[in-house]
Amino acid sequence: MVVQPYLFFNGRCDEALAFYQAALGAEVASLMRFRDNPDPAAGEGCAGGPPPSGDQVMHAEMRVGSSTILMSDGMDRGTPTFQGFALTLQLASVAEVERVFTRLADGGTVQMPIGATFFATSFGMVADRFGVTWTVIAPA
């Protein structure tokens, strides 16, 4: 059994993919746009209306290290909200934590500055420009 996060960016998925590629070295493993859907009628009526059309991302798989994050534009209705969870990046060194944290914080909001804790040599929390909260850690 594998648990994978699935994030809905409400029309900003392409932007998010490009950001995570630059910030994290993420790789896009697969990407399907709504125009590529072999059964466009399958999504009609989903979430209270017709599915987005054209270039919107219906489904993407992004690899960060050995993890996969699933992503989509969803139904492209409103601002994406990411609440009640955080994605954690476990890194090997304080220098890596600082590098990745700084990149994720570009356009985002630092929630807890990087510092040593009782459980880590380096730890910080940041909400990126899309509102996704990340904890970045080099374990003790």
Side-chain angles (χ1 to χ4, degrees), residues 8-32:
F8 296 90
F9 287 89
N10 294 345
R12 297 182 70 191
C13 193
D14 280 317
E15 182 185 348
L17 287 166
F19 176 75
Y20 297 132
Q21 285 175 306
L24 304 174
E27 297 177 14
V28 178
S30 69
L31 188 140
M32 178 183 276

Side-chain angles (χ1 to χ4, degrees), residues 56-114:
Q56 296 293 318
V57 176
M58 184 170 82
H59 173 77
E61 293 183 24
M62 176 180 77
R63 293 209 178 99
V64 179
S66 62
S67 298
T68 300
I69 299 172
L70 307 175
M71 302 167 64
S72 175
D73 275 316
M75 300 314 288
D76 192 12
R77 293 183 177 83
T79 304
T81 57
F82 300 102
Q83 298 174 350
F85 73 94
L87 300 178
T88 299
L89 292 168
Q90 184 170 319
L91 302 167
S93 70
V94 171
E96 283 185 272
V97 167
E98 290 173 359
R99 179 181 55 80
V100 170
F101 186 89
T102 299
R103 289 178 178 175
L104 289 171
D106 181 22
T109 304
V110 173
Q111 297 175 330
M112 181 178 177
I114 296 172

Side-chain angles (χ1 to χ4, degrees), residues 97-98 101 112-125 136 138:
V97 167
E98 290 173 359
F101 186 89
M112 181 178 177
I114 296 172
T117 69
F118 68 92
F119 58 86
T121 57
S122 186
F123 177 82
M125 292 179 65
V136 185

